[in-house]
Amino acid sequence: MLLLEQLINGICTGAIYALFAVGFGIVFSTMQILNLAQGVYATYGAMITYFVLDESGLPFWLAAILGVIGAGLVAVLVDQVAFEPLRRRGVQLLGAVIASIGMWIALREVLSIATEATPVGFPPGTAPRGQISIGPIDVLQTQVLAVVCAVVVISAVYFLLHRTNVGSAIRAVGFDKRSAQITGISPQAMIIGAAMLSGAVTGLAGILMAGGQSFNFNLGDALLLQGFAAVVIGGMGDVRGSAIGGLFIGVVQTLSASYISASYQDAITFGLVLVVLLWRPTGLLGSADFQRA
Amino acid sequence: MNPTLVLLQSATMFAMAGAVLALSTYVKLWTGLLSFATVTFGAIGAFGSIWLYNETSLGLFGSIIGAAVASGLFGLLVGRVFLKLSSHWLALATVALVLITRVFVVNLVDYTGGSAGEVVAYTITMPQMAIMLALVCGLLYLLKRSQFGVAADTTREDPAVAAALGVPVARVKIIAFGLSGAIGAVGGAMQASQLSYIDPDTFYINLSVTIIASVVLGGAYHWFGSVIGAAVFTGMPVYISQYITEGQSIINGALLLVIILFLPGGLIDPLRWRRLRERRLRKRQPPDAVDGTRDPAPDPALDQAGATR
């Protein structure tokens, strides 16, 4: 029974990582940017939700939607301030990484000042707390919420990117901006749209992560690391790959913590990342997309 | 002593430690490898040298050299293993390495003090730091002019062409990692001495970000850029913190962004200087110069150098 419980815990954590990884993957596949500011979007999602709940007392779901939109807008801001000028001069790997680090540090400090670096938590009675019993197993409401949100949102993102015209346009811009433009697609609109989508999905991951606990301006940093592990293992730029990678990381972390060594849990996770990188640099499910150009 | 002077001294010493760490990253970037692994090397250097200093009779410099050798060998190993990864993937793998390093620092309590951290047993004085920095700079100065320097430049500009020209690309990259390991360990020891107390978070993501920023913003095309970058990004904050207590990171982040947008080659950019010099030269001798004895056309050699980037 313990194994089953741990497995469920792992899947619930993994669902959040999966959401984050999908958000990360959207930016990576459409713009070929390794965006280290991605974790900040998650923090902003959670923090905006917290401030809305704390100041206005709106219902949780409404506050969460505002948080998600806010995170999306932060992502657009980062893209327009940091990445757009670099794109105009032709993206360089180092330039984009450094620019994203700059935005990461600055945006994180803004939250640190706003909260005076103290941990905050969603006010009691707002976020769903408490347990649900499914047969002999107790799970937290936040965990169920995380899994449901992840499944719904990731499916929606996959559907959007692969089954709609807008999705095709976004992927076309990611593949070759100029050719896409020739067919009448506006790269600018697609890039902003992709940034918004990426920020929103990541923001949701942040809100779910913050759900049942207290958190501070660092929230997104841990997510960035785990989400990045998920993306590497699952494959960059592939929604299904990122999602499966996230689940995998969540389960591996939880199981290795309880069965192998809690203190070496991160070493096991990131050791696995190294092994995958060296064995299959494009991820277990990743296409060779990034090799192009 | 005058408090401002003390602060200035501390800022200078932090800048010197930062410069050595930045140079460790620069050596890898020289061959075109973006790597965060310097932090790992720094951790080996700091914790290793403290352990050697406490447990053996090697003395200060012996301990640092011992740790540097160990870290250099580790660097060779890392370089060998990571060899086939390129650009983004190498950066990601080295980030993973940094994360793993922290786990080991936390868990190897007997050698590192675990999560509680460790008091640094030795102090490196300012002249000693200056000598160490000078030695590292001297080494890079010599390397720049050596066969290795040419091979490294070629490898960065175009590995395929370099390989076709007979440059042993793989070996150059592995050696760069080994050098980076040894230099990074020295930098780590200097940083530790300056902090006088280190814990698992000392050598973690924050430091790696500062180091990469120093190298890229100082100028990734010349080793001196790393020294200047470190002065700006590790020395200056120490000094400025007396005037600005809050929001300093916002300034750091904005500074990073502004420099990368407006000076993509960094503060020390030999190529930009050459271009400026060339433009000045052309202005001084306009094409319609009455003199007419000298060819007003720009030196083709300079243009060629410009075209490689």
Side-chain angles (χ1 to χ4, degrees), chain A residues 192-223:
Chain A
I192 290 181
M196 181 80 201
L197 183 65
S198 154
V201 172
T202 311
L204 179 63
I207 296 169
L208 292 171
M209 187 79 186
Q213 55 171 356
S214 65
F215 60 99
N216 64 7
F217 64 95
N218 279 327
L219 177 80
D221 295 357
L223 260 179

Side-chain angles (χ1 to χ4, degrees), chain A residues 114-274:
Chain A
T115 60
E116 285 159 348
T118 50
V120 296
F122 296 150
T126 51
R129 248 168 233 183
Q131 293 190 330
I132 302 175
S133 298
I134 305 171
I137 297 157
D138 292 332
V139 288
L140 295 170
Q141 279 183 15
T142 44
Q143 292 185 317
V144 178
L145 189 68
V147 173
V148 171
C149 282
V151 170
V152 171
V153 171
I154 292 172
S155 311
V157 169
Y158 183 78
F159 182 80
L160 177 76
L161 284 181
H162 292 271
R163 297 277 183 277
T164 65
N165 286 338
V166 175
S168 303
I170 289 178
R171 286 186 301 133
V173 170
F175 195 75
D176 188 334
K177 210 163 141 187
R178 209 160 289 172
S179 308
Q181 201 161 14
I182 291 171
T183 63
I185 296 168
S186 156
Q188 193 61 25
M190 291 307 136
I191 285 170
I192 290 181
M196 181 80 201
L197 183 65
S198 154
V201 172
T202 311
L204 179 63
I207 296 169
L208 292 171
M209 187 79 186
Q213 55 171 356
S214 65
F215 60 99
N216 64 7
F217 64 95
N218 279 327
L219 177 80
D221 295 357
L223 260 179
L224 178 74
L225 303 180
Q226 309 297 352
F228 132 81
V231 170
V232 169
I233 285 186
M236 293 255 183
D238 183 279
V239 173
R240 287 170 301 179
S242 307
I244 292 171
L247 270 184
F248 185 73
I249 291 290
V251 171
V252 165
Q253 270 216 318
T254 318
L255 291 188
S256 63
S258 47
Y259 290 102
I260 304 175
S261 157
S263 48
Y264 279 100
Q265 145 188 28
D266 282 342
I268 293 168
T269 313
F270 292 105
L272 213 59
V273 169
L274 279 185

Side-chain angles (χ1 to χ4, degrees), chain B residues 232-277:
Chain B
V232 174
F233 277 92
T234 57
M236 215 172 66
V238 176
Y239 190 71
I240 285 181
S241 62
Q242 64 173 328
Y243 304 110
I244 305 166
T245 47
E246 220 177 37
Q248 203 191 324
S249 294
I250 299 180
I251 299 173
N252 281 351
L255 200 61
L256 270 176
L257 199 63
V258 167
I259 297 183
I260 203 69
L261 289 181
F262 294 103
L263 294 171
L267 295 169
I268 304 292
D269 185 354
L271 183 66
R272 183 160 44 87
W273 290 352
R274 204 182 302 173
R275 284 218 185 102
L276 287 176
R277 217 172 25 238

Side-chain angles (χ1 to χ4, degrees), chain B residues 117-131:
Chain B
E118 201 163 41
V119 175
V120 181
Y122 53 72
T123 39
I124 306 176
T125 62
M126 194 151 158
Q128 286 169 334
M129 280 206 180
I131 290 170

Side-chain angles (χ1 to χ4, degrees), chain B residues 15-32:
Chain B
M16 287 196 283
V20 174
L21 286 170
L23 287 170
S24 157
T25 297
Y26 165 77
V27 175
K28 285 172 286 184
L29 209 55
W30 196 0
T31 62

